[in-house]
Amino acid sequence: MFNGLKSLKKAKYLYLALGLVAVVGLGFALGSIRTRENSASRPTPYAKEQAAATDERAVGRHAGESLSEAQNKPVITGDTLVHYEYVYELCSHIYQEDKAAGKEMVGLDAEGLARLFPDAISTSIDSDGAHVKLSIDQVCPQHVMLRLEGDKCVIYRNVLGTDTMQAQQEFTIDTRKWDGEWTQSLEDGIIFDSVEELESFVEDMES
């Protein structure tokens, strides 16, 4: 009888031991699965640090280039001096004029200045100021033009930097003393190198 009880006790302990081993094994297995899942969902520290470093270098590089370009690009301010160069096509004379930058120029860079003067020969901005070279289809202010308007002769001179001829003086002439061809030329306008040359011409025609 006692031997039977001992056998039962041994079998009981054996079953308990096997059950405990199975539970412990299952716990380790579940823990291992959770660990792998968590590891897979998190990026490795190396990859994260490398990505951050790459992004920072890219942003820094682009920002640095943009900032450098902005700093090196000259812009017209209220104190900028504009150097104009006028090339007069009808006499080939060149005049230069310096002016303070107008309000419409303040804040412009080289591209903006070029857009402001689309017909200019050239435009630029440097440490000396802004530069604008213009072609003018007219004679320069050194010359004068005499034009017959009705019974009066009008002396015109160019307005510097424009193609406008402005009336400066007028006088009457006796057209009966003038040859018909000269009268026609006067109606179209005759260019003289100077006022002195013009006066000499008129005296000869009326003498």
Side-chain angles (χ1 to χ4, degrees), residues 64-75 109-110 125-126:
E65 289 174 355
S66 177
L67 180 60
S68 176
E69 288 176 359
Q71 290 176 338
N72 293 331
K73 184 177 290 187
V75 174
D109 56 13
I125 304 176
D126 57 27

Side-chain angles (χ1 to χ4, degrees), residues 137-149:
D137 188 21
Q138 192 51 269
V139 292
C140 74
Q142 173 184 320
H143 306 281
V144 290
M145 180 177 69
L146 183 64
R147 176 180 292 165
L148 181 62
E149 299 177 359

Side-chain angles (χ1 to χ4, degrees), residues 30-63:
L30 291 174
S32 176
I33 291 172
R34 291 196 196 97
T35 301
R36 284 198 296 272
E37 288 177 351
N38 291 337
S39 298
S41 64
R42 292 195 306 268
T44 61
Y46 173 77
K48 183 177 181 180
E49 292 173 2
Q50 186 179 41
T54 302
D55 292 342
E56 288 173 2
R57 285 196 298 271
V59 172
R61 181 174 64 253
H62 294 309

